[in-house]
Amino acid sequence: MWGGRFSAGPDAIMEEINASVDFDQKLAAQDIAGSRAHAAMLHDQGILSSEDAASIDQGLSTILSEIESGTFSFSRALEDIHMNVESRLAELIGSSAGRLHTARSRNDQVALDFRMWVRDQTVAMQASLSRLIEVMLDRADEHADTIMPGFTHLQTAQPVTFGHHCLAYVEMLARDRSRMADAYERMNECPLGAAALAGTGFRIDRHATANALGFREPSRNSLDTVSDRDFALEFLAAASICGTHLSRLAEEIVIWSTPQFGFVRLSDKFSTGSSIMPQKKNPDAAELVRGKVGRMNGSLIGLLTVMKGLPLTYSKDMQEDKEGVFDAAETLELCLAAMTGMIADMEISRDAMRAAAGSGYSTATDLADWLVREAGLPFRDAHHATGHAVALAESKGCDLAELDLSDLQKINSAFTDDIFNVLTVEASVASRTSFGGTAPDNVRQQVRAWRERLKS
């Protein structure tokens, strides 16, 4: 491949560090699609004869079939997917294969292949995210009025509904899907034709090639084109943020499934046992989702580190751009599938959630709000009075609703019997009717709105 510039072949160590075909063969379909579009453009521009164009296209079609059937023999001595394809094409059609590389370089070729692969992944992730969102919406609708404790600092804060809790993750996942869609738009520029770094003197039609490969337009600067890996970084960043959301949900599933909480029960399909303790049912699928996010984060930091010190344009360091992206894509796809399955068949304990929702004086804010609304107290004064009520309930070992009215009136004379109407978790949840609040009607309305968004 290196032609007359070098008199000797690569040393075994150099071949080991230099070869990338072990992993970049994943780009085979994109590489062949790009080559076929390039050959067609060269023919249309009068740079490639009809005979050579037809021969090249047929040969590339044959190679794609060989790769898909598993009969193609990859050679590490040929370094990468590009040279493996070109070498096999020469075996099939002879010297005409050498004309395919007219007006392009491996620099713009790999930029094209990798960008197309990542672009496809953003589409796949949007579909997987939509499936998980749909499952979360089903559970939200089903449990729009299932009361559970809402937490801050993992301490009981105020009652909410499990449906509302599910919708919180719908919001996160929808942002993840939006990030993938946004990344798609920015990466939807065709690198082919930038050549090594300066463009080419051949009269090529980059707009035609971009159109043939489904890009919005060709990239506008040849230097940036061959050195840009923002599309891979954006994908990794979006994957890491999405993974973080999945990890937070996985952590909650792990907590909720403990006997101490007992909020949910995972199916046997997403649980494992213990080799020594026969009673154990471990939420391993959730734990693995939580753990695998570290790999995605590592891939993002790895590529950021590779790119941070590179001058324009292409450097061989950039060969390290692919493996982390490949791994992150496969990992995220697996995590999304696992989470979709877990959520879909997870058993919810309404009774355990309801019992926990009333613990920890979760309706204290409702008491303070009542003093503001009904007695006209400034909120800070109401907050102070409520704190005294909580302290009194703690000393008596009872809930707020179990305090005597006379005890409450010693704290503030404004209390009346009406206060006990707001101190149930049902009343608390039902009162949170502000937009985005946890009231069951709000939840159902948001479910309907999100389903309409998914359709559009």
Side-chain angles (χ1 to χ4, degrees), residues 84-228:
N84 270 264
V85 169
E86 187 172 322
S87 176
R88 177 57 177 152
L89 185 62
E91 292 176 358
L92 291 172
I93 69 172
S95 61
S96 295
R99 301 186 187 280
L100 174 60
H101 210 54
T102 304
R104 76 173 182 183
S105 162
R106 278 195 300 174
N107 292 356
D108 63 338
Q109 191 176 356
V110 69
L112 171 71
D113 296 355
F114 194 25
R115 189 176 289 242
M116 289 177 65
W117 191 91
V118 175
R119 188 180 63 167
D120 290 344
Q121 292 304 304
T122 65
V123 175
M125 295 307 164
Q126 289 177 69
S128 294
L129 282 161
S130 291
R131 286 191 288 272
L132 179 52
I133 289 171
E134 287 169 356
V135 167
M136 297 300 293
L137 289 174
D138 288 342
R139 301 319 302 260
D141 199 16
E142 178 186 358
H143 293 281
D145 54 5
T146 297
I147 297 174
M148 68 175 291
F151 299 98
T152 62
H153 310 279
L154 204 55
Q155 304 292 315
T156 301
Q158 292 178 274
V160 296
T161 66
F162 183 63
H164 193 56
H165 201 102
C166 290
L167 286 178
Y169 284 100
V170 169
E171 296 287 338
M172 297 182 214
L173 296 167
R175 291 195 296 271
D176 294 325
R177 193 180 66 161
S178 176
R179 270 183 282 272
M180 289 292 178
D182 289 345
Y184 180 99
E185 288 303 312
R186 272 182 292 280
M187 70 179 68
N188 199 24
E189 297 176 355
C190 184
L192 199 57
L197 78 161
T200 178
F202 289 94
R203 294 186 302 102
I204 61 173
D205 186 348
R206 294 193 63 208
H207 287 84
T209 309
N211 184 65
L213 294 170
F215 287 95
R216 182 182 64 249
E217 59 187 340
S219 57
R220 291 173 295 277
N221 183 280
S222 60
L223 295 172
D224 176 62
T225 295
V226 298
S227 62
D228 170 41

Side-chain angles (χ1 to χ4, degrees), residues 136-416:
M136 297 300 293
L137 289 174
D138 288 342
R139 301 319 302 260
D141 199 16
E142 178 186 358
H143 293 281
D145 54 5
T146 297
I147 297 174
M148 68 175 291
F151 299 98
T152 62
H153 310 279
L154 204 55
Q155 304 292 315
T156 301
Q158 292 178 274
V160 296
T161 66
F162 183 63
H164 193 56
H165 201 102
C166 290
L167 286 178
Y169 284 100
V170 169
E171 296 287 338
M172 297 182 214
L173 296 167
R175 291 195 296 271
D176 294 325
R177 193 180 66 161
S178 176
R179 270 183 282 272
M180 289 292 178
D182 289 345
Y184 180 99
E185 288 303 312
R186 272 182 292 280
M187 70 179 68
N188 199 24
E189 297 176 355
C190 184
L192 199 57
L197 78 161
T200 178
F202 289 94
R203 294 186 302 102
I204 61 173
D205 186 348
R206 294 193 63 208
H207 287 84
T209 309
N211 184 65
L213 294 170
F215 287 95
R216 182 182 64 249
E217 59 187 340
S219 57
R220 291 173 295 277
N221 183 280
S222 60
L223 295 172
D224 176 62
T225 295
V226 298
S227 62
D228 170 41
R229 292 298 182 269
D230 286 5
F231 62 92
L233 288 167
E234 271 202 271
F235 176 79
L236 287 173
S240 291
I241 295 172
C242 180
T244 298
H245 294 151
L246 297 179
S247 183
R248 295 181 72 179
L249 178 54
E251 171 70 3
E252 294 199 308
I253 290 172
V254 171
I255 293 171
W256 292 343
S257 64
T258 61
Q260 290 77 13
F261 272 74
F263 287 2
V264 304
R265 182 178 177 84
L266 295 178
S267 72
D268 292 348
K269 292 184 292 185
F270 295 98
S271 306
T272 64
S274 166
S275 64
I276 189 172
M277 297 169 284
Q279 84 281 10
K280 293 295 293 297
K281 185 174 183 179
N282 301 321
D284 280 12
E287 291 173 1
L288 286 166
V289 167
R290 187 177 59 185
K292 285 180 181 296
V293 177
R295 288 169 58 177
M296 287 187 273
N297 292 348
S299 294
L300 172 59
I301 296 301
L303 185 53
L304 283 167
T305 305
V306 167
M307 297 301 298
K308 74 175 182 63
L310 297 186
L312 295 181
T313 56
Y314 181 82
S315 297
K316 195 68 171 182
D317 312 48
M318 291 165 68
Q319 185 167 292
E320 296 298 312
D321 59 359
K322 298 173 194 67
E323 289 178 279
V325 175
F326 293 159
D327 183 73
E330 292 172 2
T331 300
L332 181 57
E333 186 69 37
L334 180 60
C335 288
L336 286 167
M339 191 59 73
T340 300
M342 274 190 288
I343 296 298
D345 65 3
M346 187 168 65
E347 181 182 327
I348 309 301
S349 176
R350 295 173 185 262
D351 291 342
M353 286 186 171
R354 168 62 180 79
S359 67
Y361 309 104
S362 64
T363 59
T365 304
D366 298 277
L367 189 150
D369 287 347
W370 186 91
L371 285 171
V372 172
R373 187 173 54 249
E374 302 298 329
L377 269 66
F379 183 79
R380 286 302 170 201
D381 293 344
H383 185 283
H384 188 72
T386 301
H388 279 296
V390 169
L392 179 61
E394 275 188 323
S395 69
K396 289 177 173 289
C398 68
D399 194 25
L400 287 172
E402 296 171 331
L403 288 172
D404 292 333
L405 178 60
S406 60
D407 289 330
L408 289 171
Q409 288 177 334
K410 289 176 184 177
I411 296 171
N412 192 294
S413 61
F415 282 116
T416 69

